[in-house]
Amino acid sequence: MGQTIEIEGKTLPFRPVAVMLGKTVNNGWGGYHCCWARTMLAVLVGALEVPGGTLGTAVKLVRPAVSRVGSVLPGPDGLMAYQFNETSRDGWMRTPHIRNAFKTLVPLVSDSPWSPALGPAHLPWLFQKKAPENWPRTRAPDVWFCYRTNPAISSWDAPEVAERLAEFPFIVAFAYTEDETNHFADILLPEALDLESLQLIRIGSTKFTEQFWKHEGWAIRQPAVDSPCDTMDFTDIATALAARAGILDKYVAAINRGAAGMALRDRGGRFDYALDESKAPSREQVWDASAKAASHDLTGGQEVRDLEWFKEHGFLLRPFPQLDWYLYPALERQGLRFELPYQERVVRHGRQLANRLHEAGVGWWEHQLAEYEFMPTYERFPEIWIEYAREYGRDPQEFPFWALTARSMQYSWGANVGLPLINEVANNIAGHRGLIMNRSVARRLGIAEGERLLVESVSGHTEGEAVLREGIRPDTVLMIGQFDHWKTPFAKDLKLPSLNSLTDLSLTLTDGTGSGSDVMRVRLRRAASGEVLGGPPQAASAVLPPPRAAAGATSAAATAPEAR
């Protein structure tokens, strides 16, 4: 405590301590409380946004999205400004403008290009089956485009998502191989692969993919080989679709505003490399204009580099000050405070949101409204999942194990599961071959290494071979990655289990920010005989009180008077 460090001539607090949160801890029920506690610990020892301490990464929700320090702007209350979605009577969006309704239900997620992805993206799948009370039915899109995604595997309750996809009238999928989602497509279109296509990409500074750099700039991804097939670069595909759909002018205008990563016309009038909005630009024209605008912005106009220059040199960088790794100097300079521990703005928007929803007759978001508190209150969050079995009329003690998943470095986001080489690499890492469970519990239940097990939740099932380890909790089983493929070549032959076949699309399991956790309560059977296996020793004696927000309960946030 009390140490300092000099960074680029400025003396800053030095606090070599941080708390790092991982998967399933920082999202879903309890995620808000955990993040609040993590941040509060950092504040108590002065370790938030200073050298050695807890730092954020890329800006997702607060504009300008390319600069963390640039997002530190003063609000009216002496705190850093934040663009909550409107919850006032005049400003609230009563009718959702997008299927996941992030502006209607989640003021915390703001309204940036990233907000739709960070809102409750699973609710459209759930509401397409049955809309809740006083809520518009989610209608399947007339035409649905699918690009580099496989929600029939990667979503919670993946089999249910596949059922909903089957109801879509018309699907267009871009693909180089078959998978579980494009199985439902009416049209499959090829595209140039990464080694055959062109793009200018922002690199460096504090973006999460590069961590913390002392440089920032732009790099080019360019064709290493010509495509041997009749494919198009996705830039040209997008342009062709815009032209045929009659929105070419709007499409090019979006590129000029920065939809391709860099605004082609500077608002301050420093440069103008904007494309003609009445003509369809080629791939080369889009990225040539982007290269000129990016290099002009990067160098203050001293070096304007075109696409050919980037093809030859690969990248263009400028120094990025280390001081800009930390928000503390920018907050100090403007006299702004950290907004902890007391969350007045959160509560104010929560109360307003409660009033708006009640005026609309929406009562099914009550449990979520309870999270809008001045200071988080303790709750036994595990009971939400334990007690969830009762929604299916089942006894929670039927499901004595926790089922979890973990992200695999080898399988990344799951797009490479069809590559035998990746499987060979992954199999050198413990746990990738099946269902990890505690060796001592397995011995007690008579489960042998490699024995095929059926894992069941109230809403689904999956199968995998037992991988026995001491280094896992006795009441927990773990499935690495996202599998249970039934269409993707090679991956479907691996017969690996997947938590996404066990999780449920559920309002009960959705927290106030619209997120959920990759966790479910399960039981085990022998796949060969169907014999139900017991649970860990402590499960039978557990006394399980009911969760906090029972049906019909009214939250404090929902009943408190509105703060205008």
Side-chain angles (χ1 to χ4, degrees), residues 287-311:
W287 296 116
D288 184 65
S290 297
K292 292 174 181 175
S295 58
H296 192 133
D297 177 68
L298 198 65
T299 66
Q302 295 182 15
E303 298 181 46
V304 179
R305 305 301 189 185
D306 60 10
L307 180 60
E308 292 304 314
W309 185 92
F310 272 94
K311 286 182 177 181

Side-chain angles (χ1 to χ4, degrees), residues 383-503:
E383 289 162 12
I384 295 175
W385 285 272
I386 293 171
E387 289 291 307
Y388 184 67
R390 299 192 191 279
E391 293 201 11
Y392 282 77
R394 306 287 290 275
D395 182 350
Q397 296 205 35
E398 289 185 60
F399 304 94
F401 288 95
W402 293 100
L404 305 177
T405 185
R407 185 174 184 267
S408 163
M409 181 187 296
Q410 289 70 39
Y411 284 112
S412 188
W413 299 108
N416 59 2
V417 292
L419 301 178
L421 176 64
I422 298 299
N423 175 255
E424 182 180 338
V425 173
N427 283 341
N428 290 311
I429 310 298
H432 280 76
R433 294 178 182 268
L435 180 75
I436 304 176
M437 67 177 299
N438 182 273
R439 186 186 303 276
S440 297
V441 171
R443 185 182 300 117
R444 183 174 63 83
L445 298 176
I447 298 172
E449 180 84 34
E451 180 177 354
R452 195 146 189 91
L453 300 175
L454 178 66
V455 190
E456 295 178 324
S457 70
V458 291
S459 59
H461 64 273
T462 188
E463 282 190 27
E465 296 178 0
V467 178
L468 308 183
R469 293 287 183 275
E470 290 294 346
I472 184 170
R473 280 173 49 129
D475 62 349
T476 302
V477 294
L478 173 67
M479 289 151 276
I480 294 178
Q482 305 172 118
F483 289 94
D484 256 352
H485 294 82
W486 45 268
K487 188 71 174 183
T488 303
F490 183 74
K492 63 183 175 63
D493 300 324
L494 296 175
K495 307 298 182 184
L496 291 172
S498 176
L499 184 73
N500 288 342
S501 298
L502 304 170
T503 48

Side-chain angles (χ1 to χ4, degrees), residues 363-367 387 390-391 508 546-555:
W364 41 265
W365 201 247
E366 293 299 297
H367 196 179
E387 289 291 307
R390 299 192 191 279
E391 293 201 11
T508 300
R548 174 178 58 170
T554 304
S555 70

Side-chain angles (χ1 to χ4, degrees), residues 349-369:
H349 284 280
R351 290 178 175 179
Q352 290 184 349
L353 177 62
N355 288 335
R356 301 291 82 79
L357 291 173
H358 294 161
E359 290 164 2
V362 172
W364 41 265
W365 201 247
E366 293 299 297
H367 196 179
Q368 287 75 13
L369 292 171

Side-chain angles (χ1 to χ4, degrees), residues 198-202 217-221 255 260-265 271-275 283-317:
L198 184 66
Q199 186 179 9
L200 204 66
I201 305 165
R202 191 184 295 272
W218 297 82
I220 191 172
R221 187 192 73 210
I255 294 175
M262 179 69 208
L264 305 186
R265 182 186 292 120
F271 57 80
D272 188 349
Y273 301 102
L275 300 167
R283 171 184 75 170
E284 283 72 19
Q285 288 173 323
V286 169
W287 296 116
D288 184 65
S290 297
K292 292 174 181 175
S295 58
H296 192 133
D297 177 68
L298 198 65
T299 66
Q302 295 182 15
E303 298 181 46
V304 179
R305 305 301 189 185
D306 60 10
L307 180 60
E308 292 304 314
W309 185 92
F310 272 94
K311 286 182 177 181
E312 181 180 350
H313 294 85
F315 61 90
L316 180 65
L317 298 173

Side-chain angles (χ1 to χ4, degrees), residues 152 161-163 165-168 170-171 179-187 486:
V161 170
E163 292 288 336
L165 283 169
E167 299 171 353
F168 285 16
F170 199 86
I171 296 176
D179 65 31
E180 290 68 25
T181 296
N182 66 42
H183 168 78
F184 299 98
D186 298 273
I187 294 178
W486 45 268

